[in-house]
Amino acid sequence: MAALDARTLREAFGNFPSGVTAVCAVTDEGRPTGLAVASFTSVSLEPPLVSVCLQLSSRTWPRLRELPRLGLSVLGEDQGALCRALAGPEQDRFTGAGWEADDDGAVFLHGAVTWYACTLRAEVPAGDHCIALLEIDRLWTRPASEPLVFHGSRFRRLESQERAARPAA
């Protein structure tokens, strides 16, 4: 049995693979802001809800939560560098990133496998995080695309049937 400390918990939580999403919007200054989130979960079909968990120490979430619409992008398998940028210094997060905003200010990242236009409906305190419930207003998806997967503190790829079925060269 391992000790129950932050390092051990982080390692144990890392044993569960997760997709990686970005929550982004245009600020009042007209610039994109956002962050990477690995704790994304579908919640409800009626109404259409998803949740993300955000650290209370985040300086970005307090700005995002005040905006009328949020864009949630499920990152694609080749977007590991973008994910790292979104977790880095705020002024560098969108450098070189392709993105677009809808009329309501939700920001969507090019190359993502799914885009959700969302409205924040509730926040639930949860230890050193908060759980944000987001209602989906619209979505766009690329079903043939593969998502970015985070597992064991690194990015991985899913093995698709098409890749597995290819003969070795």
Side-chain angles (χ1 to χ4, degrees):
M1 189 64 97
L4 193 59
D5 57 33
R7 185 186 66 73
T8 304
L9 274 172
R10 185 174 290 113
E11 185 177 293
F13 290 162
N15 285 329
F16 184 75
S18 66
V20 183
T21 60
V23 179
C24 306
V26 174
T27 65
D28 294 336
E29 296 85 34
R31 292 190 315 259
T33 189
L35 48 84
V37 178
S39 53
F40 163 77
T41 305
S42 59
V43 174
S44 171
L45 296 175
E46 190 56 45
L49 297 171
V50 295
S51 70
V52 292
C53 296
L54 303 135
Q55 289 183 345
L56 294 178
S57 62
S58 171
R59 292 185 312 243
T60 305
W61 178 243
R63 289 196 311 277
L64 286 169
R65 82 159 55 94
E66 299 302 322
L67 299 171
R69 182 90 71 225
L70 301 172
L72 197 147
S73 300
V74 177
L75 299 183
E77 68 181 348
D78 295 325
Q79 293 185 298
L82 175 57
C83 180
R84 284 186 194 89
L86 288 167
E90 290 182 64
Q91 68 274 11
D92 299 333
R93 290 184 183 170
F94 290 87
T95 302
W99 62 275
E100 60 189 83
D102 70 8
D103 293 339
D104 297 316
V107 169
F108 307 103
L109 300 172
H110 295 173
V113 299
T114 305
W115 290 347
Y116 299 94
C118 301
T119 304
L120 177 63
R121 291 298 175 216
E123 285 184 82
V124 179
D128 60 0
H129 281 64
C130 72
I131 302 167
L133 289 174
L134 305 172
E135 185 168 351
I136 303 166
D137 303 309
R138 292 183 316 277
L139 69 86
W140 301 262
T141 189
R142 298 183 319 150
S145 300
E146 298 290 341
L148 182 64
V149 175
F150 191 70
H151 175 256
S153 298
R154 62 186 194 139
F155 298 118
R156 300 178 188 263
R157 292 178 176 221
L158 295 177
E159 182 176 332
S160 70
Q161 293 295 3
E162 291 82 26
R163 287 187 199 147
R166 290 185 185 143

